[in-house]
Amino acid sequence: MLALHRALLALRRREPALSVGRYEPVSAENDVLVYERRHETGRFRILLNLSAVERMVDAMPDAAHIRLSTHLDRGGEPVSGILRLRPDEGVVIGFDDKGKGGA
């Protein structure tokens, strides 16, 4: 738990979108909350599986990578299309569209 908190704080310090960026809701259904944080320097999508069962989520229309997972084992994993979220898992996904304000 301590390692997760440290990793979350470090990512938040590095990425203004996660601290001062605007919040944009994407969806909330089937016990999964999805929202984005945007700033001039980056765009992130946060997916939170609030259930005790695995969920499949249409995560990204664009190329992206997982920047951080609550399990600390998926950093750098490419994401496009459907993403499997484990029970009670949360992920922070950074868009790869650097030319368009991506992460």
Side-chain angles (χ1 to χ4, degrees), residues 3 6-7 11 28 44 73 80:
R6 286 182 175 162
L11 182 60
F44 294 86
D73 63 349
S80 65

Side-chain angles (χ1 to χ4, degrees), residues 8-75:
L8 284 167
L9 287 170
L11 182 60
R12 185 172 184 249
R13 285 187 193 111
R14 279 193 313 272
E15 300 293 347
L18 297 174
S19 58
V20 297
R22 69 183 185 275
Y23 166 87
E24 295 181 12
V26 174
S27 68
E29 57 188 51
N30 204 19
D31 295 322
V32 176
L33 175 64
V34 181
Y35 64 93
E36 287 190 5
R37 295 292 305 258
R38 294 173 181 250
H39 190 264
E40 298 135 8
T41 61
R43 179 168 65 134
F44 294 86
R45 185 167 287 184
I46 293 81
L47 291 83
L48 303 171
N49 180 2
L50 305 174
S51 75
V53 297
E54 183 177 283
R55 299 286 189 215
M56 302 300 280
V57 180
D58 188 6
M60 303 303 258
D62 304 319
H65 283 83
I66 293 177
R67 296 289 298 273
L68 187 63
S69 165
T70 53
H71 292 275
L72 298 176
D73 63 349
R74 298 176 80 175

